[in-house]
Structure formats: C-alpha cells, structure tokens
C-alpha cells in the first residue's frame, strides 16, 4: 500500500473536508427551512450528549492507533500494525456496547431532568445506535492514518456525508406532519444511517487493500504473520498485553483532554438554555436561539476549518515519526507549514463572514436574524483555525496532558461567563457568544505557549502581521464592491461577485507579501502541470 507525504495526505483530507463541509451545508440550509430554528434547537440539544459518549469510546484510541501504527510501519513491522488494530477494535467495541446500554437506560432521565425541553426524548433515542457504529469506523480511520494512507478515510467520510444528507432531510420531511419533536428525531436517524454507510465504506476498503497487500507480499514473508495471528499462540497473547498498555497510556490522556471539550459543549448546551430562561426568555424561544447559534452560525464559522482539521490529522503521524528520530528541524518545518496554511487560508473566509454577514445569512437561511451573531464571532474565527494543528502537535509529541490542562482552563472560564452573562436580559444569547469567543482565544494562546516552550519553536510574527494587513485591504475592497459597484439586482450574484473580487485581491496580496509562494502552488496537482 502506497503511503502519502505530509502535504499529499493533507491535500487528500482537505479535498474530502471541503467536499464534506460543502455537502454539510445542504442540510444546514434545508433543515431550518423544513423543521425551523426550534426543530434545529431540539437536534442541537441532543448532539452534545452524542459527542460525550463518542469521546469516551473513541476519544484518544484512533489517535493512539495512528501513532503506534506509524511507529510500527516505520520499523517495517506490518504484523504489529494489524495486532494494534485488533486490540483497538476489541477495546472500542466493548466500550461501545456498554455505553449504548447506559444511554438507553438514561434516555428518559436526560430528557426530563437535565434538559429544559422534554421533546428531545425521541431525538436522543434516534442517536443511540450511532455509538457502536462510530466506535468501529474511528478505529479503522486511525489505522489507515497511521499507515499514512488518507484515501480510505477521505472516501468513507464523503460517502457517509452523501448518505447522511439524503436520509436526514428525507426522514425529517416524512415525520414533520407528526410534530417538530419527531421531525428532529428523523434528522438524527438520518445521521445514523449515514454513519452506517461510512462504516461499510471503510470496511470494504480495508478488505480490498488487505487483499491487495497479501498478493504483493512474498509467500515467505507472509508465514510469520499467519502464525502470529493465531489466537491460541501464547506468544501472540503475551505480546497483546504491552500493546494494550501502550494504547491506554497514549489514549487516556487524549480522551481526557477531548472529554473536557465535549463536557464543556454539553454543559454549554444545558447551561445556556437554562441561563436564557433566567433572563426571562421562554423555553421554545431559548431552544430556537440556541439552535440558531449552534446549528447555523458556528457551522458557518467552522467551514474553513476543513483545512485545519486535515492538517491536524496529517500532523500526528508525521510529527510522531520525526519525534521518534529526534529530528527537530523537521518538527519545526511541519509546524511552520501547518500554522501558516491554517492562518493564511482561514483569513479570507473570516473577512467575508464579517463584511457580508447579512447577505450571507439571507442567502443561506432565508433571514438575517443570525447575521449579528456571525459578525461578532467572525474576527475571532482565526483562533479556532490555528488551534487544531497546535493541539495535534501536543498530542503527537506525547504531551496530551498539557492540551488537557489548557482545554480545562478554557472550559471553566467559558461556563462561568455563560452563567454570568447569558442569564442577564441585556446580554441573552450574546452572553454565550462572548463566552465562546473568550474560550477560543484563551485555549489557542495556551496551546501556542505550550508548543513554543516544548520544541523551542520561533513564531513568525511577520506572517501574522502580513495576514492582518491583507485581511483589512480585502475587507475594504469587498465592502466597496458590494455597495458601490452593483452588477445585478439579484442579491446572490452581487454577493458572489464581491466575494470573488475580494478573494482575488487577497490572493494577489498574499503572493506579493510572500504568504503564498509558487512552490506552495506547485504542490497542487492541477496547478503543478500548468506551472
């Protein structure tokens, strides 16, 4: 099996990420039009519980598998890679079965006691089957990432998105006549069907690739693998124990770190709605406001994060190999590449979301009520884009504990600010938004300080200054074009025209300032031929 380089792997995942984010906006746009902001709120209230359960089951295990498999492949020991995969599957599936039972038993209590809106019960039940499905898919994705083959993960995630979108919208539309509660449950059930499709896709690719590997491996080299895979072999059983210990040693701190973020999101959903109730906002209105924030605004902010997510995934095996060789120059090079790409590619989207917030929300969601929220959060989205590769670096360098502490500090500050601000009528939902902004800035700065002190990384401040200047010039250009150069009565044509001019302006400034070079463009397959 051919593995990809760091940049190639990132580009493969980036392509899949962009496709998934674009596909993901189909339900983001269509679902509010089908079930309304209130229905989206019911869906979003349940989603944090799913994230917590999945984090417990798979949180750090796929990353640990990617790291351990990368080390085993570096030592040219494919039989050890497969043993790591089997151990991870056993652990993750066992946890999946246990927490599926826990979720079924606690569904009524969660709906009636923890949450303020009892209508979430059906959506919660529809979410439960996903737990075990995600447990299996995540392990295989970690295995392929460890082998630095990002194609199976990319293809399965795109297939999952296509299946999910179709069934999500279909089920919600079918169940809408029975009420908003069942329509929201239908949307969640569609997500479950999508996860089944993604799991089947990656299992099929594993079967095909494994079959191909067996054909290309000489017969004499296959013999030890067959002997080692026999369960009754005492040596195989004995060698599983250190793999499990290492797997737990790597995954538990990462899981704990991600649990902080997941629990923070869960508490945020519960406390925000309760704080809005204290501010005098009715339950249905509070659910709708929370649905607008979490179901419309934040997904829009995270759309450019497709690159940073791809960078984070590719960064772990790449840094792990470099760290195993104690190759500090390569570590510095990879970090500078990741941070520059995250900053430079995310910046123009932040500008568009700030300057064109009103037409963007009008075009996507049919109203501009969410535009003030988007405009307030857009300038701070850059911190979110840079945060992902920084956290991935800490995990790859065997310092997940630092990421855990940083995330915990940010979570505590966010929850306290939500309680203080969102419960005041003067702030309302904007109190929660301020708390989320403070959290993203604080955690990113803490991660940055940890990475710099850990590997003695020298930050390139000039890149940040150049990017900010390019953003200001682009923002002024976009605003001028949108307001002063009308080319059509249709709002969407005017929006696309202003956006295209702004992107071209930003791209030109970035080339002149050295933020983007011809060497960067040379790595892109189609542009490489032209250059």
């Amino acid at each position: 099996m051919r593995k990809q380089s760091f940049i190639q792997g990132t580009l493969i995942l980036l392509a899949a990420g962009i496709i998934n984010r674009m596909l993901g906006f189909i339900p983001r746009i269509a679902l509010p039009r089908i079930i309304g902001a209130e229905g989206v709120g019911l869906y979003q209230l349940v989603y944090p519980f799913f994230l917590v359960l999945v984090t417990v089951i798979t949180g750090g295990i796929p990353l640990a598998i990617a790291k351990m498999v990368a080390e085993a492949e570096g030592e040219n020991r494919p039989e050890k890679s497969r043993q790591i995969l089997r151990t991870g599957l056993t652990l993750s599936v066992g946890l999946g079965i246990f927490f599926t039972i826990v979720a079924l038993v606690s569904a009524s209590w969660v709906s009636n006691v923890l949450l303020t809106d009892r209508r979430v019960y059906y959506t919660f039940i529809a979410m439960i089957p996903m737990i075990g499905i995600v447990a299996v898919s995540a392990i295989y994705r970690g295995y392929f990432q460890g082998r630095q083959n990002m194609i199976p993960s990319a293809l399965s995630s795109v297939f999952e998105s296509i299946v999910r979108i179709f069934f999500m919208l279909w089920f919600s539309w079918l169940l809408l006549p029975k009420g908003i509660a069942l329509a929201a449950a239908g949307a969640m059930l569609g997500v479950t069907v999508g996860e089944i499709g993604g799991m089947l896709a990656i299992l099929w690719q594993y079967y095909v690739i494994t079959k191909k590997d067996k054909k290309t491996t000489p017969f004499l080299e296959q013999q030890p693998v067959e002997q080692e895979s026999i369960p009754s072999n005492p040596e195989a059983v004995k060698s599983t124990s250190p793999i499990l210990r290492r797997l737990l040693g790597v995954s538990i701190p990462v899981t704990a770190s991600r649990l902080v973020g997941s629990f923070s999101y869960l508490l945020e959903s519960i406390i925000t709605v309760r704080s809005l109730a204290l501010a005098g906002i009715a339950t249905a209105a509070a659910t709708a406001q929370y649905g607008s924030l979490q179901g419309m605004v934040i997904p829009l902010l995270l759309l450019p994060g497709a690159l940073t997510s791809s960078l984070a995934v590719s960064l772990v095996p790449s840094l792990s190999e470099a760290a195993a060789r104690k190759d500090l120059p390569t570590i510095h090079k990879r970090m500078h590449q990741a941070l520059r790409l995250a900053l430079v590619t995310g910046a123009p989207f932040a500008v568009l979301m700030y300057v064109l917030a009103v037409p963007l929300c009008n075009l996507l969601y049919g109203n501009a009520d969410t535009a003030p929220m988007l405009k307030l959060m857009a300038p701070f989205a850059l911190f979110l884009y840079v945060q992902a590769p920084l956290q991935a670096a800490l995990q790859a360098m065997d310092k997940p504990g630092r990421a855990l502490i940083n995330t915990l500090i940010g979570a505590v500050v966010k929850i306290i600010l939500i309680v203080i601000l969102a419960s005041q009528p003067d702030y309302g939902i904007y109190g929660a938004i301020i708390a989320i902004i403070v959290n993203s800035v604080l955690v990113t700065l803490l991660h940055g300080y940890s990475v710099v002190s850990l590997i003695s990384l020298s930050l390139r401040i000039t890149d940040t200054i150049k990017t900010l200047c390019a953003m200001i010039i682009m923002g002024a250009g976009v605003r001028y074009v949108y307001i002063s150069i009308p080319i059509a009565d249709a709002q969407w044509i005017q929006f696309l025209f202003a956006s295209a001019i702004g992107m071209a302006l930003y791209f030109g400034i970035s080339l002149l300032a050295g933020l983007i070079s011809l060497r960067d463009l040379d790595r892109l397959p189609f542009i490489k031929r032209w250059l």
Side-chain angles (χ1 to χ4, degrees):
M1 180 182 66
R2 179 179 173 269
K3 72 176 186 178
Q4 297 97 31
S5 67
F6 169 67
I7 294 294
Q8 288 173 332
T10 300
L11 288 174
I12 290 169
L13 291 176
L14 173 60
I18 291 173
I19 293 170
N20 285 334
R21 298 293 172 102
M22 293 175 66
L23 289 173
F25 259 89
I26 296 174
R28 294 291 183 189
I29 296 169
L31 197 62
R33 297 173 187 266
I34 296 173
I35 63 177
E38 193 175 343
V40 173
L42 293 174
Y43 173 87
Q44 289 297 147
L45 282 173
V46 169
Y47 197 70
F49 286 91
F50 169 69
L51 287 182
V52 169
L53 292 172
V54 168
T55 302
V56 172
I57 298 164
T58 65
I61 300 176
L63 186 139
I65 287 175
K67 180 178 174 60
M68 293 170 65
V69 167
E71 294 170 355
E73 292 293 316
E75 298 169 358
N76 197 25
R77 297 180 62 188
E79 75 286 349
K80 186 178 179 182
S81 297
R82 287 188 285 271
Q83 197 169 17
I84 292 167
L85 172 64
R86 290 193 295 270
T87 306
L89 273 174
T90 303
L91 178 61
S92 190
V93 170
L95 289 171
I97 294 171
F98 174 76
F99 281 101
T100 297
I101 296 170
V102 170
L104 280 170
V105 172
S106 62
S108 180
W109 177 77
V110 168
S111 305
N112 295 322
V113 178
L114 277 184
L115 298 176
T116 57
D117 201 323
R118 296 180 180 181
R119 294 174 296 173
V120 302
Y121 175 77
Y122 299 107
T123 309
F124 192 91
I125 291 295
M127 170 270 295
I128 292 174
M130 274 195 286
I131 298 170
I133 298 165
V134 173
V136 174
S137 300
I139 299 304
Y140 279 97
R141 288 193 175 107
Y143 170 75
F144 283 119
Q145 288 161 11
R147 297 188 71 179
Q148 297 188 42
N149 181 7
M150 307 301 174
I151 293 175
S153 295
L155 291 178
S156 65
S157 65
V158 171
F159 183 72
E160 180 267 323
S161 293
I162 294 171
V163 175
R164 170 173 50 83
I165 290 165
F166 175 79
F167 284 99
M168 190 179 184
L169 298 179
W170 186 37
F171 288 163
S172 60
W173 177 75
L174 282 177
L175 293 173
L176 183 60
K178 298 182 181 296
I180 291 177
L182 286 175
M188 186 63 77
L189 192 61
V191 178
T192 301
V193 175
E195 291 291 349
I196 293 173
M199 180 187 70
L200 294 177
I202 201 163
L203 287 176
W204 171 253
Q205 290 175 93
Y206 175 77
Y207 169 77
V208 170
I209 291 173
T210 302
K211 192 174 180 181
K212 189 181 295 184
D213 285 349
K214 286 181 179 179
K215 285 182 179 180
T216 56
T217 304
F219 177 76
L220 291 175
E221 292 183 13
Q222 292 182 27
Q223 295 303 314
V225 176
E226 296 299 324
Q227 292 173 4
E228 191 169 348
S229 63
I230 299 173
S232 60
N233 188 338
E235 292 300 320
V237 174
K238 185 178 178 182
S239 62
T240 302
S241 182
I243 290 176
L244 180 60
R245 283 199 300 270
R246 177 85 195 285
L247 191 65
L248 292 173
V250 175
S251 64
I252 287 176
V254 176
T255 301
S257 178
R258 292 184 177 177
L259 265 179
V260 171
S262 299
F263 267 117
S264 168
Y265 187 27
L266 175 60
L267 287 174
E268 176 191 324
S269 66
I270 297 170
I271 292 172
T272 299
V273 178
R274 290 185 177 273
S275 297
L276 292 175
L278 290 175
I281 300 172
T283 299
T287 302
Q289 285 187 3
Y290 184 76
S292 296
L293 174 61
Q294 292 291 346
M296 301 179 194
V297 175
I298 290 182
L300 200 55
L301 288 170
L302 296 178
L303 180 62
L307 175 65
T308 58
S309 301
S310 306
L311 286 170
V313 172
S314 298
L315 207 56
V316 172
S318 180
L319 288 183
S320 296
E321 281 192 0
R325 300 192 306 267
K326 301 188 184 302
D327 187 357
L328 198 58
T330 299
I331 294 173
H332 285 179
K333 178 183 176 183
R334 292 285 179 261
M335 284 307 305
H336 283 136
Q337 284 177 332
L339 293 175
R340 180 169 58 89
L341 285 171
L343 186 66
V344 172
T345 56
F349 294 98
V351 172
L352 291 178
M353 287 185 285
Y354 178 80
V355 177
L356 301 178
V358 173
L360 184 58
C361 291
N362 261 328
L363 290 170
L364 290 179
Y365 305 126
N367 65 76
D369 293 342
T370 56
M373 300 183 195
L374 179 63
K375 193 164 187 175
L376 178 60
M377 299 184 76
F380 302 96
L382 285 177
F383 289 93
L384 291 174
Y385 306 150
V386 173
Q387 188 178 124
L390 288 173
Q391 181 159 331
L394 290 173
Q395 292 165 350
M397 302 297 294
D398 283 333
K399 296 295 180 182
R402 293 194 184 186
L404 170 61
I405 294 171
N406 297 340
T407 308
L408 181 60
I409 293 171
V412 170
V413 171
K414 179 175 69 172
I415 296 301
I416 292 173
L417 286 176
I418 289 176
V419 173
I420 294 173
L421 298 177
S423 59
Q424 296 183 26
D426 292 341
Y427 288 98
I429 192 66
Y430 288 94
I433 291 173
I434 293 170
I436 293 171
I437 290 171
V438 171
N439 168 266
S440 63
V441 173
L442 180 60
V443 174
T444 302
L445 292 177
L446 290 173
H447 281 352
Y449 175 78
S450 299
V451 171
V452 168
S453 60
L454 178 64
I455 61 174
S456 301
L457 182 70
S458 58
L459 295 178
R460 296 172 178 173
I461 305 299
T462 54
D463 286 349
T464 305
I465 296 173
K466 290 177 183 178
T467 304
L468 291 175
C469 292
M471 290 174 69
I472 293 170
I473 297 170
M474 175 189 172
V478 169
R479 182 177 176 81
Y480 176 78
V481 170
Y482 186 78
I483 296 175
S484 304
I485 310 180
I487 63 166
D489 293 332
Q491 188 181 46
W492 67 272
I493 295 178
Q494 189 69 19
F495 172 82
L496 290 177
F497 177 66
S499 299
I501 295 297
M503 283 291 190
L505 182 62
Y506 178 83
F507 182 73
I509 295 170
S510 298
L511 276 174
L512 291 173
L515 291 171
I516 301 173
S517 65
L518 292 177
R519 184 179 177 185
D520 294 326
L521 299 177
D522 188 55
R523 294 189 175 102
L524 302 176
F526 299 107
I527 297 178
K528 182 177 182 179
R529 294 177 189 174
W530 180 75
L531 289 174

